[in-house]
Amino acid sequence: MTRERTANVLASLAWAAVAIFAATLFAVGFFLRVTIVKPEVVHFEPGFHIGIAAAFIGMLALTVFMWRVCQRLSRMHLTALPAVVMAVVAALLLVGLRVRQDADFQVVSLAAQRFSRGDYFPLQTDYFQSFQYQLNTVFTLEPIAYIMHLMGVQEYFDDVMPVLNVLMGLGILLVLADMARRVMPDGERADAAVWAIGATYFPMWIYAVFVYGTMPMLLFGSLAIRGYVLYTRSGKLIDGLTIAIFGAAAYIAKLNAAILLAALVICAVLHGIAKRDWKPLLFVLAAVVIATQAPRFIRWQYAIRGNIRYRDRMGMLPRLTMGMQDGDIAAGWYNAYVFQFIGTDERSLNRDAIALADLKTRLGEFAADPAMMVSFFVEKFLSQWLEGAHGTMVYGETTEQIGVLAGIAPQIFTSTSPIRVTVEVILAGVERVLLLFAAVASAWHVRRERDAGLLVLPVVVIGGILYHMIFEAKSQYTFVYMIYMLPLAAQGLCLAGAWIKKKRAAK
């Protein structure tokens, strides 16, 4: 088997894996409703859900209608108008609610604000001593906090950031739509499809409530993917630099972008094997080098500014062990396992040895009871990928709102509220639409001539699936990979539209 043939076979397997993944979730999702109820417990409702089926049909019709609208608007260079309208509505709602951040979101946002004022006390806390990787996210947020401090409006930081997240959502769609227009067959229709699906993929706008590094990571990651896809076609230096700069920036914003960097490395290696062109790999490796060294600089400059010394930081092993444990939320979800190692006591100093022993014990339990192991991982998988709200609705229920619309927050977020139930059913239908078209496009790529650069999309999705099946699970994390599947869904919509048009012409 030639090198090129081997690379093509591996690429086909990646596309097939994502096609099966998306099609399986699409089908199972009609027979299993997954929600999160206060205080963050995953709830499963088996059985055929006619509400989700009806929501899927309705959202499918809306998506197709919006696609036609976007195609017509493209003639006036207004393709993004529906998404802009959604962004404005989302921003007004978020400003009206004024959600106070909670948990890790609150810790990093408050740290960014205090650091920007020259107050480095948070660096002395056990939280940042143990979870030093969170300083990356703080570093990303601090410039905005500093500007607001200079303007004397820093008390509105938690109100401004969700609006900026909404704007970043528009930026993500702009990047992905431009990529689709440049590299996909019938590019103008694919561009319109990205904007149409993006406008109707409501989680894009609701997710802005989280003040964290996820939206910046997604924006930078989308730019890196676009740079890679274009560079494999054009070889332009600007596209190669885009890979290096924004691939590293995504990792700095949030370390979960390591999955994207790994996907870029894999695809660049396969591209080199197939085409004997190793230049894309050089830019990807540049991104990796910058990304791995930047956190050291971030920790160093905070240590200098705060005049502190770090203790040993929490490694990956305790988090891996936590991902293999049962918990009150769901299998493999956060269960506070890592917090037993915070501090300076003997247990913290020996955390890796303790975590390894606990991991070996857990793996022994899996080996002794394979049925239990299968049940654990099935629950972990479905609880992450079928919760269409991505944790946003329960977050609204558990946090405080202080805006002019705070009075209606209970009607929106309370678990038993008809509005919340309706919203969650609609979000489930929205997710099915994206999965359906992503499955169509991925299946189409399996046996056909394809753009080698686009391989990064299925590979990063596979990486996300594997990573969160091993480490901590949370439906918030799967949002990222749904967005990375959006260009595939857009291509699937175009393929379905072309097939229907062909059938009609044949009659």
Side-chain angles (χ1 to χ4, degrees), residues 344-358:
T344 58
D345 59 13
E346 183 178 350
R347 189 171 186 84
S348 298
L349 296 175
N350 294 286
R351 59 174 173 263
D352 285 348
I354 296 171
L356 181 59
D358 290 342

Side-chain angles (χ1 to χ4, degrees), residues 136-393:
N136 283 30
T137 301
V138 175
F139 185 77
T140 305
L141 298 175
E142 188 184 350
I144 301 168
Y146 181 70
I147 292 171
M148 295 185 68
H149 170 61
L150 292 179
M151 297 172 63
V153 293
Q154 197 178 85
E155 66 268 26
Y156 298 106
F157 181 81
D158 282 355
D159 309 309
V160 170
M161 280 307 305
V163 176
L164 292 180
N165 282 342
V166 169
L167 294 177
M168 282 186 274
L170 285 175
I172 292 164
L173 292 180
L174 178 64
V175 172
L176 297 180
D178 179 73
M179 181 183 74
R181 179 175 57 82
R182 291 171 181 267
V183 305
M184 289 182 176
D186 202 0
E188 294 296 333
R189 285 160 58 86
D191 178 296
V194 170
W195 284 110
I197 297 175
T200 55
Y201 189 65
F202 302 136
M204 168 72 83
W205 315 112
I206 302 173
Y207 202 87
V209 70
F210 295 122
V211 177
Y212 213 35
T214 305
M215 293 302 288
M217 178 189 73
L218 261 173
L219 177 58
F220 299 146
S222 297
L223 284 164
I225 289 173
R226 175 188 175 276
Y228 177 79
V229 172
L230 295 183
Y231 187 75
T232 56
R233 294 166 62 92
S234 69
K236 292 182 178 179
L237 177 62
I238 185 64
D239 295 323
L241 293 175
T242 299
I243 302 170
I245 294 170
F246 289 106
Y251 184 84
I252 292 170
K254 195 170 177 62
L255 298 194
N256 285 19
I259 300 168
L260 171 60
L261 292 177
L264 287 169
V265 170
I266 292 170
C267 293
V269 168
L270 290 177
H271 176 81
I273 292 173
K275 305 296 182 181
R276 291 181 170 80
D277 174 18
W278 297 98
K279 293 189 294 294
L281 181 60
L282 296 178
F283 286 105
V284 172
L285 292 179
V288 172
V289 171
I290 298 170
T292 53
Q293 296 306 310
R296 295 184 179 183
F297 167 77
I298 291 171
R299 292 194 300 270
W300 171 80
Q301 60 91 31
Y302 277 132
I304 297 298
R305 289 164 60 184
N307 192 27
I308 59 102
R309 293 186 63 183
Y310 295 113
R311 299 192 299 271
D312 290 338
R313 62 185 183 272
M314 188 81 67
M316 297 295 286
L317 187 56
R319 306 192 72 84
L320 170 62
T321 303
M322 181 173 70
M324 294 295 163
Q325 305 293 321
D326 292 311
D328 294 332
I329 301 175
W333 284 54
Y334 173 79
N335 58 10
Y337 176 85
V338 295
F339 271 84
Q340 66 180 301
F341 302 120
I342 289 182
T344 58
D345 59 13
E346 183 178 350
R347 189 171 186 84
S348 298
L349 296 175
N350 294 286
R351 59 174 173 263
D352 285 348
I354 296 171
L356 181 59
D358 290 342
L359 179 60
K360 289 180 178 178
T361 298
R362 185 58 169 168
L363 294 177
E365 293 172 354
F366 285 157
D369 191 349
M372 181 272 287
M373 179 184 67
V374 171
S375 176
F376 174 87
F377 283 108
V378 168
E379 179 182 325
K380 188 175 183 179
F381 175 77
L382 296 176
S383 62
Q384 294 180 85
W385 292 97
L386 288 182
E387 200 280 296
H390 299 288
T392 53
M393 300 307 290

Side-chain angles (χ1 to χ4, degrees), residues 495-507:
L495 290 168
W499 182 80
I500 292 172
K501 185 177 181 179
K502 182 179 179 180
K503 290 295 181 181
R504 286 178 175 176
K507 291 182 180 181

